[in-house]
Amino acid sequence: MTNSINFRPHPGVDLVQTSAPMLRAFQTIAAYQVEHSEIRLTKLGAWNRHCIDWVVRRMNFPNWTAEKLYSVNKVLDEYDVPPLEYLRVLLTSLRLGRKMGGGWRLTKPGMTLVADPEAAFVTIAPAFLFRFDHSEGMRTGEAPGGDLELWLQAINRMPQDGFTLPELANFLYGPSAGGGWRGPAGGLFSAVAMPLEWVGLLVRTGGGGIEEMLWRRSPLWAAGLDFQHRTIATNVVTFPSRG
């Protein structure tokens, strides 16, 4: 993952099954393929509505339930369910799935990965987090300064009983940096917190307001991430002065 943060290879089968929504979405897509042989594509190359409806009703993805989605949509296209849109692009880029004729199928390595939830999580989660610029899809807030390693290190130092995104922004960028939905806190929601929720490393509770929304590190955070201690050199050679 990075020099100082790595995904542990065996976070626990039960834990990734229950805690990682993107893994469940991947497994549900595989189940759809088993039942229907392939996923038909739209003219634009997206998974078709039948697949999206079938998967949404079964994948148990927080905040992307069929009830919630159909409350604002008459039908569901792939772009109405961003986790599935990201998943198709990601699986294709990892060569775990590909277009075949007018349809799309998981490849043999992709189907093999379905049977190993831990390996699937360790493959999909870091690729999803690091291969996309999640700030590109922001609708509110400022693009947060830093990178994912900085944000993960900061979250690892936040209170165990939970924190708000304005509190995280203040920790990262200084007092009063939060700024509500329009400031860095709003950017942290789209670019950091929501992607981490999708892979199962963060969970949120509370109301819809950014000040009321409470984020906690999930059990998968401790089981799945390994924060390496940075080595401080003790044998530094002093460069001679030219004075």
Side-chain angles (χ1 to χ4, degrees):
M1 184 172 166
T2 71
N3 290 332
S4 62
I5 307 171
N6 294 290
F7 273 83
R8 300 181 191 274
H10 300 291
V13 174
D14 291 341
L15 190 56
V16 296
Q17 292 272 41
T18 58
S19 301
M22 285 295 273
L23 173 67
R24 293 197 300 271
F26 170 59
Q27 292 174 321
T28 309
I29 283 292
Y32 181 91
Q33 177 173 313
V34 169
E35 184 166 320
H36 299 87
S37 299
E38 68 174 0
I39 301 172
R40 301 300 296 173
L41 297 174
T42 68
K43 291 181 180 179
L44 296 178
W47 289 336
N48 71 2
R49 288 176 177 176
H50 182 271
C51 170
I52 298 301
D53 175 81
W54 194 95
V55 172
V56 161
R57 294 181 185 279
R58 292 163 175 81
M59 67 180 180
N60 188 26
F61 209 106
N63 299 299
W64 299 96
T65 62
E67 180 181 7
K68 187 172 183 178
L69 288 165
Y70 278 116
S71 70
V72 294
N73 299 282
K74 289 185 178 181
V75 296
L76 292 181
D77 291 299
E78 185 189 82
Y79 60 78
D80 295 315
V81 194
L84 295 182
E85 186 175 25
Y86 272 104
L87 185 61
R88 176 183 56 79
V89 173
L90 180 63
L91 293 175
T92 302
S93 71
L94 293 174
R95 298 184 179 180
L96 298 175
R98 68 184 183 93
K99 182 179 178 181
M100 299 182 184
W104 187 98
R105 293 176 57 88
L106 288 169
T107 60
K108 183 178 290 186
M111 290 301 293
T112 299
L113 205 59
V114 174
D116 189 343
E118 288 180 306
F121 173 76
V122 173
T123 300
I124 291 171
F128 169 69
L129 292 174
F130 282 92
R131 291 195 179 203
F132 294 105
D133 179 359
H134 295 282
S135 64
E136 289 183 347
M138 293 192 318
R139 296 183 179 180
T140 61
E142 302 173 9
D147 56 26
L148 192 58
E149 180 174 3
L150 171 68
W151 302 325
L152 289 171
Q153 292 281 5
I155 292 170
N156 201 45
R157 297 176 63 183
M158 297 303 286
Q160 183 62 43
D161 59 353
F163 58 91
T164 66
L165 294 181
E167 289 171 343
L168 178 61
N170 293 342
F171 178 76
L172 281 164
Y173 311 119
S176 304
W181 284 110
R182 294 182 180 273
L188 287 170
F189 175 83
S190 298
V192 182
M194 193 161 60
L196 290 172
E197 179 187 46
W198 289 6
V199 298
L201 295 174
L202 287 183
V203 293
R204 61 171 145 159
T205 56
I210 200 166
E211 296 280 356
E212 293 78 32
M213 199 179 297
L214 195 66
W215 297 83
R216 293 184 177 85
R217 297 187 293 274
S218 73
L220 191 52
W221 180 284
L225 294 180
D226 181 17
F227 287 81
Q228 302 287 332
H229 294 293
R230 293 183 182 273
T231 301
I232 301 175
T234 58
N235 60 340
V236 177
V237 177
T238 304
F239 195 88
S241 172
R242 294 182 180 179

